[in-house]
Amino acid sequence: MIELIPAIDIIDGKCVRLTKGDYAQKTVYNDNPADVARELEALGFKRLHVVDLDGAKQKHIVNERVLSDITAATRLTVDFGGGIKSDADIEKAFGHGAAMVTVGSVAVTEKELFCSWLQRYGADRIILGADVRAGKVSINGWKEDSDNDLLPFLAYYVERGVKHVLCTEISKDGTLSGPATDLYKEVLAAYPSLHLIASGGVSCNDDIVELQREGIPAVVFGKAYYEGRIRLDELRRQLAQQTADAQ
């Protein structure tokens, strides 16, 4: 069954969502992310994707205290990203309770550093963040586009042992317009062994059911959940039925 991963994005210590990564298009959903994390755990989620949007913008971790609050308040497996640019940043993330980290910009700008983290911490704790706009990998809170095409970028790191990839189609993120399913299918066709986490555009149960039907291993969602578009009990029944039908 597809892995369901809710997201908490943080600005000024609050739980927010952006539209297409635009900091000017911000919606605040809760002033206390740890309360949101507790609610998600109570609903049966096991994993959480936490993004320090201030950190992504400022190029160093900013909201480590929020990470500590979440990991102290729950037993969720927390994947943390945003602003991880140095050894000090990644040590801070793990030191404040993250079980895994998502790293994107450094994988573009400092390949040797990223590979050193992969070796030091292991491929099960390092998620390669591949945020895509018009086919190019974007960096630094999606404010800059690199010259890296997605598939060659992934190939470089798959050859070096990357197992987990979080792929966000930026034009879809926060828009509730449906996920970039064809993009994810293309990635898995090229690298079928990846644990690919789809991100961006999820609007309802049917979007997640479609991703599972296409064999996508995991999905991150935020806005659709916070705006009541995901009916969780029904979703779990749908996914279980689809799994049973496929066997």
Side-chain angles (χ1 to χ4, degrees), residues 11 13 30 40 45 63 67 84 97 123 127 138 142 156 165 183 191 200 211-212 217 223 246-247:
I11 291 180
N30 194 295
L40 292 168
F45 290 107
N63 286 291
L67 172 61
I84 299 175
I127 302 167
S138 293
W142 302 349
Y156 180 86
V165 171
L183 174 67
Y191 311 109
L211 289 171
Q212 176 171 274
K223 192 171 189 176
Q247 291 176 346

Side-chain angles (χ1 to χ4, degrees), residues 58-94:
Q58 297 184 34
K59 302 183 181 181
H60 63 86
I61 291 177
V62 173
N63 286 291
E64 69 270 17
R65 184 172 296 278
V66 177
L67 172 61
S68 290
D69 290 344
I70 289 171
T71 56
T74 73
R75 296 183 179 180
L76 292 165
T77 297
V78 176
D79 148 34
F80 181 83
I84 299 175
K85 298 289 197 287
S86 66
D87 285 331
D89 286 320
I90 196 168
E91 289 166 7
K92 182 179 289 186
F94 286 133

Side-chain angles (χ1 to χ4, degrees), residues 212-225:
Q212 176 171 274
R213 184 182 301 115
E214 297 297 343
I216 310 305
V219 58
V220 163
F221 52 87
K223 192 171 189 176
Y225 170 78

Side-chain angles (χ1 to χ4, degrees), residues 84 87 90 101-121 126-129 153 156-158 160-162 164:
I84 299 175
D87 285 331
I90 196 168
V101 295
T102 295
V103 180
S105 298
V106 164
V108 174
T109 61
E110 298 184 64
K111 292 181 178 180
E112 289 185 5
L113 180 58
F114 181 90
C115 289
S116 75
W117 293 345
L118 198 61
Q119 291 296 317
R120 188 185 317 167
Y121 298 104
I126 305 291
I127 302 167
L128 175 62
F153 173 74
Y156 180 86
Y157 286 111
V158 169
R160 285 155 180 80
V162 160
H164 302 271

